[in-house]
Amino acid sequence: MNRFTDNIATRLAFAPHSVENTLALLDEGCTIPFISRYRKERTGNLDEVQIARISELYDKLKELAKRKETILKTIEEQGQLTDTLQKRIDDCWDTGELEDLYLPYKPKRHTRARIAREQGLEPLATLLLLQRELYPEQAAERFVKGEVKDAKAALKGAQDIIAETVSEDERARKAVRGIYRREAVITSKVVAKMKEEEKARKFSDYFDWSEPLKRCSSHRLLAMRRGEAEGVLRVTISADDGQCTDKLSKLFVRGRGACQHLLDEAVEDAYKRLIKPSMETEFAGLSKERADEEAVRVFAENLRQLLLAAPLGQKRVLGVDPGFRTGCKVVCLDGQGNLLHHEVIKPHPPVGDVAGAARQVLRMVENFRLEAVAIGNGTASRETNDFIHSLDFGRKVQIFVVSEDGASVYSASETAREEFPNEDVTVRGAVSIGRRLMDPLAELVKIDPKSIGVGQYQHDVDQSLLKKSLDTTVELCVNSVGVNLNTASSHLLTYVSGLGPALARNIVDYRRKNGPFTSRAQLKKVPRLGPTAYQQCAGFLRIPDAKNPLDNSGVHPESYKLVEQMAKDSGCSVTDLMKDAERRKRINLNCYVTTEVGMPTLTDIMRELEKPGLDPRGPIETFEFDTNVHTPEDLCPGMVLPGIVTNITNFGAFVDIGVHQDGLVHISQLADRYVSDPNEVVQVHCHVRVKVVEVDLRRHRISLTMRGVEQ
């Protein structure tokens, strides 16, 4: 049994056997998408989110176990490791408590207490701690020698030893930690000389701010920490000093007298000089860690929604990267996203050749039989959208505004240079905009998620945590949709379960050399793609025109024989079984249940046979901004406008209403009821109707509400 099973099962409230089997699968190299999709019987039907939580906690516990090994080795080398201490360390799985246990044995720099010990003052400190000495100054006289000039110096050295002893005492630290956990306050003050600086304006809400640390939300804490990093704010975390010192005194001081007075001074020194700074650092770290985790969670959820946005599909698209001075870069793409043609139109000032630009667009739409237009949402987007809508195409051409966040990052990347070595960055950016409309997932995987524009404070959080979370999110999205083996780029294939950059390149190279794949089994011929990688990836790869129809479904090859047996028992072929709903209804799934294949897997198989290769993403919808507003100056309180949600945070949702500046719908204004999570009401890129509450032109803020507005 895995030594972490019980710990994880208890913390996450999962069945121990589910955790044990999940850990075994992870140790075997199985990916989260593969486990959640094809090993439901072993995990007890855990979904990918639950498996990811197990995986994350497993990694943390393994790191903590390594730390414990280091601690035990250090204490053992000092010859101070007892059976009792070893058991306490072995049983401890709290980082703070573990470090408390280790603190007395931790190698120290040249502290005041260490100097006092070297002066032979430890016996005096022990006498004071026993609190039996009525005349401590007389007792201290016996220790006056060498560098200890008098009794006062001896007592001061003894107090330094006592202060360090108190600061390393497990009970003392636990008591103060409890007070900080319950009552710590975070305070933010503006640095006086920075108050009038331009960069300080965005932190004005925190110039004089204070609140209980346990109530401080992720976005407020990260905003204060950013202000601190930029030299605008001074941030502190503190608790009631008197309460803390009183608690410590009760632990170490008994009665009254000269000896007790010296102990009180040492305890106060221990708290102010040693324990308090340690606790402030600890709680600053813990609060930052929690804020990071929450910010990363929100970012990952926004990214998931963006990646799973509805695709237009394989339509011929006109991609437009809007601009004023240099014009709009326009590209024509075929149904597979291949670049057919590009040119520049200049319908806006300073040139303003509207008639010429119109002729150019109409000619391209006609010559390349284009079916849709994708317009980037950056500079001149609204004006370009109005211009395109004014054209008479003579047939139905759908028009969409597409987020262009990260398009410039892609256009200058190595990936873009490989795809379009002979085109400049403007052409590459326009191609990315057009492809995002066709298949957001396939195009956005080429861009660093941090550049896609749906995060907040992404540069302030733990970067390794952020990268791991976002990579996992992309992987889960790619595998939930499935990938066309014959059209996917190497970047998209990289995120398929069991693959990676090297195998993805090998697949593309094999495809280029040997032509399209005709079966999943052909994957076994790809260099370095062994049995394990094949097992992990095969079920997530689709071949639309394969001879075996199951190769275009989510049915894993290991279940092909089972489906073939179902077809045989039904007196038909697999193809007929997939087409005939009545035949499938007559199948008694209980007849096919085994120890390896249970009802969850059988249910999934039947669902895939019903709709093989079904894309879980919904249909795309067209959208138009209000034609009466173009800039923030056009807005008035009370206006009801259509908008698109561009970003979601814990405190609300940002909405694009077509004025080149997003407005904020605070969480309290999202609905006519209490909302604990904005995702209950809105999703990234969903279409909403909002009412303007306030427009602050000086601070560039637009306040919106959805309360009382019919959606």
Side-chain angles (χ1 to χ4, degrees):
M1 184 175 180
N2 192 299
R3 61 173 170 153
F4 300 119
T5 295
D6 289 338
N7 191 316
I8 295 173
T10 300
R11 292 198 194 191
L12 301 181
F14 294 160
H17 74 273
S18 294
V19 174
E20 174 70 10
N21 289 339
T22 300
L23 296 180
L25 289 164
L26 290 169
D27 286 340
E28 291 169 14
C30 296
T31 67
I32 293 173
F34 177 81
I35 296 170
S36 63
R37 178 78 70 89
Y38 298 116
R39 292 295 181 264
K40 292 183 176 180
E41 281 73 25
R42 289 186 64 181
T43 67
N45 216 16
L46 296 179
D47 62 29
E48 65 270 14
V49 176
Q50 294 168 317
I51 295 168
R53 290 176 65 195
I54 291 175
S55 178
E56 290 166 10
L57 184 52
Y58 189 30
D59 289 341
K60 288 182 180 179
L61 291 177
K62 285 191 289 187
E63 285 299 314
L64 191 56
K66 289 180 182 177
R67 176 63 177 157
K68 288 162 73 169
E69 288 175 7
T70 301
I71 289 173
L72 287 169
K73 183 179 179 181
T74 303
I75 299 174
E76 187 174 25
E77 288 173 350
Q78 296 173 8
Q80 299 190 69
L81 184 61
T82 64
D83 291 342
T84 302
L85 180 58
Q86 176 155 359
K87 186 176 188 312
R88 292 199 66 194
I89 291 174
D90 286 339
D91 293 343
C92 180
W93 293 100
D94 179 274
T95 303
E97 292 178 10
L98 178 63
E99 295 302 326
D100 285 353
L101 288 171
Y102 178 45
L103 191 57
Y105 311 96
K106 193 173 185 177
K108 300 176 181 64
R109 55 187 174 82
H110 215 56
T111 64
R112 283 161 48 174
R114 182 175 176 180
I115 294 170
R117 288 190 176 96
E118 291 172 353
Q119 293 172 343
L121 296 174
E122 189 152 25
L124 178 59
T126 303
L127 276 174
L128 295 179
L129 279 169
L130 290 173
Q131 301 175 62
R132 295 173 185 168
E133 189 61 59
L134 296 177
Y135 305 101
E137 287 194 9
Q138 290 182 8
E141 292 288 350
R142 302 199 301 270
F143 296 89
V144 177
K145 56 183 177 181
E147 295 180 4
V148 182
K149 302 302 182 183
D150 51 34
K152 185 177 180 181
L155 289 172
K156 184 67 181 70
Q159 284 181 306
D160 287 339
I161 294 173
I162 292 169
E164 187 171 274
T165 302
V166 170
S167 74
E168 293 177 350
D169 186 89
E170 186 185 348
R171 296 172 305 153
R173 297 184 70 82
K174 189 174 182 179
V176 175
R177 184 178 288 114
I179 294 172
Y180 267 76
R181 189 174 288 123
R182 294 189 303 272
E183 302 180 23
V185 171
I186 184 168
T187 302
S188 172
K189 300 283 186 181
V190 65
V191 176
K193 65 179 181 179
M194 299 296 298
K195 191 170 185 178
E196 303 305 322
E197 293 284 334
E198 178 67 26
K199 73 174 184 177
R201 184 181 300 172
K202 60 185 176 182
F203 300 109
S204 60
D205 290 345
Y206 303 102
F207 281 1
D208 187 13
W209 180 270
S210 182
E211 68 175 314
L213 181 62
K214 63 183 179 182
R215 294 182 189 169
C216 185
S217 66
S218 168
H219 66 272
R220 287 200 299 272
L221 189 140
L222 290 173
M224 284 186 267
R225 290 302 182 192
R226 178 184 287 181
E228 182 181 45
E230 294 186 14
V232 175
L233 304 176
R234 185 174 291 110
V235 182
T236 58
I237 293 174
S238 60
D240 187 309
D241 291 345
Q243 187 179 355
C244 291
T245 53
D246 286 348
K247 190 76 171 178
L248 293 175
S249 290
K250 289 178 182 178
L251 288 174
F252 294 97
V253 184
R254 299 183 299 277
R256 294 182 179 179
C259 190
Q260 284 79 5
H261 177 70
L262 290 170
L263 270 179
D264 263 329
E265 289 181 345
V267 166
E268 185 173 356
D269 178 49
Y271 170 69
K272 290 185 176 179
R273 181 168 59 87
L274 301 172
I275 298 178
K276 181 179 179 180
S278 174
M279 287 297 156
E280 288 180 356
T281 300
E282 179 179 324
F283 276 81
L286 288 172
S287 60
K288 175 64 163 55
E289 185 179 320
R290 285 194 295 269
D292 283 359
E293 289 175 352
E294 181 59 19
V296 168
R297 184 195 67 78
V298 172
F299 194 162
E301 175 57 22
N302 286 348
L303 177 63
R304 185 191 69 80
Q305 294 174 16
L306 186 63
L307 292 175
L308 295 181
L312 180 66
Q314 294 188 337
K315 300 288 184 69
R316 302 172 74 89
V317 171
L318 184 77
V320 185
D321 186 359
F324 286 116
R325 185 176 58 83
T326 58
C328 304
K329 179 62 71 174
V330 181
V331 297
C332 302
L333 307 176
D334 67 14
Q336 284 69 48
N338 297 311
L339 177 62
L340 303 174
H341 173 76
H342 66 83
E343 57 187 89
V344 176
I345 62 172
K346 296 185 176 181
H348 313 308
V351 177
D353 183 9
V354 178
R359 286 193 296 273
Q360 287 176 271
V361 172
L362 292 173
R363 171 175 47 78
M364 285 185 279
V365 169
E366 181 63 28
N367 290 350
F368 296 99
R369 306 188 310 281
L370 303 178
E371 302 165 271
V373 181
I375 303 167
N377 68 343
T379 303
S381 171
R382 186 65 194 277
E383 293 77 6
T384 304
N385 187 30
D386 291 344
F387 163 69
I388 295 294
H389 270 96
S390 71
L391 302 179
D392 182 7
F393 295 106
R395 56 185 171 83
K396 184 177 180 181
V397 175
Q398 294 178 287
I399 303 170
F400 301 88
V401 175
V402 178
S403 170
E404 62 179 54
D405 285 324
S408 60
V409 174
Y410 161 78
S411 64
S413 69
E414 183 66 29
T415 302
R417 288 194 293 273
E418 288 177 6
E419 287 192 278
F420 303 105
N422 300 318
E423 306 296 348
D424 65 23
V425 292
T426 61
V427 173
R428 298 169 189 163
V431 170
S432 181
I433 289 170
R435 286 177 172 177
R436 287 185 193 199
L437 175 62
M438 299 167 70
D439 191 341
L441 178 61
E443 191 62 23
L444 292 174
V445 294
K446 302 174 185 176
I447 303 168
D448 182 347
K450 289 188 293 184
S451 302
I452 294 178
V454 292
Q456 191 172 39
Y457 301 109
Q458 58 260 43
H459 300 295
D460 301 298
V461 302
D462 183 321
Q463 294 302 293
S464 61
L465 175 68
L466 179 63
K467 184 179 187 310
K468 183 177 180 180
S469 176
L470 298 185
D471 284 348
T472 298
T473 300
V474 175
E475 182 183 20
L476 292 175
C477 289
V478 169
N479 289 286
S480 70
V481 171
V483 171
N484 186 324
L485 182 56
N486 286 323
T487 61
S489 67
S490 62
H491 296 87
L492 185 57
L493 289 167
T494 294
Y495 289 99
V496 172
S497 168
L499 301 181
L503 286 178
R505 283 194 299 271
N506 289 352
I507 288 173
V508 172
D509 290 343
Y510 182 91
R511 190 174 68 197
R512 188 180 298 118
K513 181 179 179 181
N514 299 281
F517 286 87
T518 57
S519 72
R520 282 172 170 167
Q522 261 185 285
L523 283 164
K524 297 175 182 178
K525 297 179 181 179
V526 173
R528 305 183 71 82
L529 200 155
T532 300
Y534 177 76
Q535 180 198 51
Q536 298 295 308
C537 75
F540 302 101
L541 297 169
R542 308 280 186 268
I543 305 175
D545 300 317
K547 182 178 179 181
N548 186 338
L550 295 177
D551 282 346
N552 191 38
S553 75
V555 177
H556 196 280
E558 63 190 13
S559 296
Y560 282 10
K561 288 184 178 180
L562 177 61
V563 177
E564 289 164 1
Q565 186 61 50
M566 287 181 179
K568 183 179 179 182
D569 294 344
S570 300
C572 65
S573 67
V574 171
T575 301
D576 292 336
L577 185 64
M578 295 173 74
K579 292 179 179 178
D580 194 335
E582 289 303 316
R583 285 181 186 272
R584 294 196 302 274
K585 286 180 182 179
R586 291 197 293 268
I587 294 175
N588 183 358
L589 295 182
N590 291 315
C591 297
Y592 300 95
V593 173
T594 66
T595 55
E596 293 296 324
V597 181
M599 196 55 70
T601 294
L602 290 169
T603 302
D604 285 348
I605 288 173
M606 298 309 290
R607 189 180 297 117
E608 283 295 328
L609 295 181
E610 179 183 359
K611 295 179 179 179
L614 176 68
D615 192 324
R617 298 171 290 182
I620 194 168
E621 298 177 358
T622 56
F623 175 86
E624 290 186 26
F625 290 114
D626 190 299
T627 56
N628 297 313
V629 296
H630 292 80
T631 67
E633 287 77 9
D634 295 332
L635 300 175
C636 296
M639 280 185 170
V640 177
L641 305 167
I644 300 175
V645 176
T646 58
N647 202 0
I648 297 175
T649 68
N650 277 347
F651 56 86
F654 288 93
V655 179
D656 182 359
I657 53 176
V659 295
H660 303 296
Q661 179 185 324
D662 289 352
L664 173 65
V665 182
H666 189 268
I667 189 170
S668 63
Q669 300 296 314
L670 283 170
D672 295 318
R673 59 179 175 82
Y674 173 74
V675 177
S676 60
D677 180 354
N679 287 288
E680 296 174 14
V681 181
V682 292
Q683 301 277 298
V684 173
H685 280 193
C686 75
H687 301 169
V688 295
R689 290 179 62 77
V690 295
K691 181 189 291 185
V692 179
V693 176
E694 182 183 6
V695 181
D696 186 338
L697 297 176
R698 186 182 69 85
R699 298 179 72 186
H700 305 290
R701 292 185 178 181
I702 301 171
S703 298
L704 306 170
T705 183
M706 289 169 58
R707 297 183 66 173
V709 180
E710 186 176 348
Q711 298 299 318

